[in-house]
Amino acid sequence: MTPRALLSTFDKAGVVDLAAGLVDLGWELIASAGTARVLEGAGLPVADVADYTGSPVMLGHRVVTLHPRVYGGILADREDPAHRADLEANSIDPIDLVVANLYPFEASPGIETIDIGGPTMVRAAAKNHAHVGVVVDPADYQAVLDELRSNGRLSAASRRRLAGKAFAHTAAYEATIAGWFDAGSGPDEPGLPAVIRLELEPAETLRYGENPHQQGARYRARGTLGFFDAVVQHGGQALSYLNLMDAEAARRLAHDLGDRPAAVIVKHANPCGAAVANELATAYSRAFDCDPRSAFGGVVATNTVIDQVTADAMVVAAQADVVIAPGFAKGVVDRLAARRANTRLLEAPEGRIDGPPWELRTLGGLAGEFLVQTPRWLAADPADWQVVTAREPTDAERADALFAWRVCAHTSSNAIVLASNGTAWGIGAGQQNRVQAGEIAAAKAAGRAAGGACASDGFYPFADGIHAAVEAGAAVVVQPGGSVNDAAVIAAADERNIAMLFTGERQFRH
């Protein structure tokens, strides 16, 4: 009996070569209208599915393959006499291979890109994988052809593997559609989904997890490409779990610091240096000078292409484990690799890249609980910040306050940042109390932030924090406000003749 394949693909990549290989092996081809036109254009013998079923394409292409001659041929159990009798009585020929991929709903969500016949056909073939092969991924075309050429048929193991992949494909597709319907329909909080459907596939095996005895990998939503899929690694060792965590933290801050050239150095998920300047080399040198000891083995990120002058500055400074930038000028990769061959040089897409409309992290281990929240971002417009002191900040002090606030928002709580002239000279991160965070920031700044800004990610509960900021040289304090002791805190700022801004939003990060 002549084997028969049904092809119905939105993505036509590789389908002509696959079809030609099947024809060479003596297969008969049936195809939906668009695929049939492509195959006919390549000179291949193919029956349009409308001619095969005797039923025209209807309802603006909504009804094409939904026909007993198609689904009977796919679903029939060839070992069941009753099924064979039904095929014969209704003049239905068995279909041995289904090749299909679906409308691109994720790229263009809407009612008309919700595929009905495609997922139905794929699931039917996958259900009957004891007799039918199903291929949803063009990456599998060559392996399928190779096996057919070698053995004349697909093995039971191959059909089962392909069936599992097919069900995963339709599950992810329909989860995307369901998410589109769910968007913004959470029961309590606008912007949170009513249901989260996740199906993840491995994208990259990492050297290890947080520690060398832990396995680690980067996963992505099935059927999608993540930000780091577009990153090109030019040199160095394979990436680890922490390399990616710190690279993402550094990159986000670098692109959140405005339009001027910016450089950020991150160590253990926290910035230990950050600066903006008119030239990238200056910004990098200032970022490194913030905390040279912590910069050793850190992650460097910039918001613009690394030029030769900046590379020269980086070669003189302490080694970095990772450098991530929108690009590298000619000769820079070789220059940096000569400094330390193991440094990972990552070329990443340019610009700020926001994630999904919600963030998720695990809770409770094997209990399968998760925390979900809308994304952390700087929501309050600086133009709406409230001056609460008698003294207004100068324009330069406002600029320092905005810079310090942005760095503070990317630093683990409790966090205090002391900054001046576009440089974070003192960063106190991840402390259990705000006073100690301020002491660490002041010790690191060592007077270099005099006349600049002090930013606090949470409100000051007592006036002692204001006095500490002034002793560290701050001329302006920026904080959320909202403490029951705000009046006393404002009075302390007035007493020390500094300006203070309330942002109206807290920026805790854990």
Side-chain angles (χ1 to χ4, degrees), residues 313-509:
M314 294 174 70
V315 166
V316 173
Q319 70 181 42
D321 278 1
V322 179
V323 177
I324 183 168
F328 300 89
K330 184 178 180 180
V332 166
V333 168
D334 292 339
R335 179 84 168 110
L336 295 178
R339 170 69 171 85
R340 183 172 183 255
N342 287 339
T343 296
R344 303 146 183 92
L345 303 176
L346 306 182
E347 185 173 348
E350 190 170 3
R352 176 173 171 169
I353 308 295
D354 290 321
W358 40 264
E359 297 175 349
L360 177 148
R361 63 171 59 180
T362 57
L363 179 71
L366 295 177
E369 295 174 288
F370 297 85
L371 291 174
V372 181
Q373 64 177 354
T374 53
R376 293 183 67 257
W377 55 52
L378 298 170
D381 187 338
D384 297 330
W385 289 357
Q386 181 184 7
V387 179
V388 295
T389 48
R391 186 170 82 75
E392 289 267 351
T394 67
D395 289 344
E397 289 168 355
R398 278 188 177 272
D400 283 337
L402 177 57
F403 176 84
W405 179 248
R406 283 172 167 164
V407 176
C408 198
H410 288 261
T411 304
S412 296
S413 300
N414 286 311
I416 298 291
V417 172
L418 293 167
S420 67
N421 194 27
T423 304
W425 293 114
I427 302 173
Q431 299 305 305
Q432 289 83 359
N433 65 77
R434 198 158 304 281
V435 172
Q436 193 165 23
E439 290 171 349
I440 292 171
K444 289 184 175 182
R448 294 176 293 177
C454 175
S456 172
D457 59 351
F459 61 65
Y460 280 104
F462 304 107
D464 56 358
I466 301 302
H467 295 303
V470 173
E471 295 304 317
V476 59
V477 169
V478 57
Q479 59 137 320
S483 168
V484 295
N485 286 329
D486 273 352
V489 170
I490 294 169
D494 283 333
E495 177 187 335
R496 303 301 294 266
N497 194 34
I498 65 168
M500 187 156 62
L501 296 161
F502 280 6
T503 67
E505 70 177 13
R506 192 178 72 181
Q507 280 293 341
F508 278 179
R509 176 174 172 267

Side-chain angles (χ1 to χ4, degrees), residues 25 143-153:
L25 293 170
V144 167
L145 271 181
D146 290 344
E147 187 169 350
L148 291 174
R149 286 169 179 153
S150 298
N151 305 324
R153 59 175 306 197

Side-chain angles (χ1 to χ4, degrees), residues 88-455:
E88 184 175 355
N90 292 280
S91 300
I92 296 174
D93 296 318
I95 294 173
D96 305 286
L97 181 68
V98 170
V99 180
N101 52 60
L102 312 178
Y103 293 166
F105 181 86
E106 185 169 17
S108 182
I111 294 299
E112 292 307 318
T113 51
I114 298 176
D115 201 330
I116 300 301
T120 306
M121 187 164 52
V122 166
R123 282 194 295 265
K127 174 178 178 175
N128 200 28
H129 66 274
H131 305 285
V132 181
V134 56
V135 188
V136 296
D137 184 353
D140 288 319
Y141 290 174
Q142 190 59 52
V144 167
L145 271 181
D146 290 344
E147 187 169 350
L148 291 174
R149 286 169 179 153
S150 298
N151 305 324
R153 59 175 306 197
L154 294 176
S155 68
S158 292
R159 293 194 305 274
R160 182 177 178 84
R161 177 184 68 82
L162 291 168
K165 194 168 184 177
F167 276 121
H169 182 62
T170 58
Y173 182 77
E174 293 185 347
T176 301
I177 296 170
W180 180 66
F181 280 102
D182 287 341
S185 61
D188 299 314
E189 293 293 336
L192 291 181
V195 178
I196 293 176
R197 300 168 181 87
L198 281 181
E199 185 176 14
L200 305 179
E201 62 183 8
E204 181 181 5
T205 299
L206 304 174
R207 289 183 68 209
Y208 48 78
E210 285 187 277
N211 300 288
H213 66 276
Q214 296 174 269
Q215 289 183 299
R218 177 173 63 87
Y219 281 67
R220 64 186 170 217
R222 182 181 288 276
T224 67
L225 291 177
F227 174 84
F228 276 93
D229 289 309
V231 171
V232 177
Q233 183 171 349
H234 290 291
Q237 293 179 303
L239 293 163
S240 71
Y241 183 98
L242 290 181
N243 290 154
L244 287 181
M245 281 192 64
D246 287 353
E248 172 64 4
R251 182 193 66 82
R252 280 189 175 273
L253 176 52
H255 286 285
D256 205 25
L257 289 179
D259 297 328
R260 297 175 70 193
V264 171
I265 305 174
V266 161
K267 192 73 171 288
H268 295 297
N270 280 302
C272 59
V276 295
N278 293 331
E279 298 82 25
L280 183 61
T282 302
Y284 171 76
S285 295
R286 289 177 179 173
F288 177 78
D289 287 343
C290 294
D291 188 353
R293 179 183 296 171
S294 298
F296 180 84
V299 170
V300 176
T302 69
N303 65 351
T304 190
V305 171
I306 295 179
D307 55 24
Q308 191 66 57
V309 178
T310 306
D312 290 343
M314 294 174 70
V315 166
V316 173
Q319 70 181 42
D321 278 1
V322 179
V323 177
I324 183 168
F328 300 89
K330 184 178 180 180
V332 166
V333 168
D334 292 339
R335 179 84 168 110
L336 295 178
R339 170 69 171 85
R340 183 172 183 255
N342 287 339
T343 296
R344 303 146 183 92
L345 303 176
L346 306 182
E347 185 173 348
E350 190 170 3
R352 176 173 171 169
I353 308 295
D354 290 321
W358 40 264
E359 297 175 349
L360 177 148
R361 63 171 59 180
T362 57
L363 179 71
L366 295 177
E369 295 174 288
F370 297 85
L371 291 174
V372 181
Q373 64 177 354
T374 53
R376 293 183 67 257
W377 55 52
L378 298 170
D381 187 338
D384 297 330
W385 289 357
Q386 181 184 7
V387 179
V388 295
T389 48
R391 186 170 82 75
E392 289 267 351
T394 67
D395 289 344
E397 289 168 355
R398 278 188 177 272
D400 283 337
L402 177 57
F403 176 84
W405 179 248
R406 283 172 167 164
V407 176
C408 198
H410 288 261
T411 304
S412 296
S413 300
N414 286 311
I416 298 291
V417 172
L418 293 167
S420 67
N421 194 27
T423 304
W425 293 114
I427 302 173
Q431 299 305 305
Q432 289 83 359
N433 65 77
R434 198 158 304 281
V435 172
Q436 193 165 23
E439 290 171 349
I440 292 171
K444 289 184 175 182
R448 294 176 293 177
C454 175

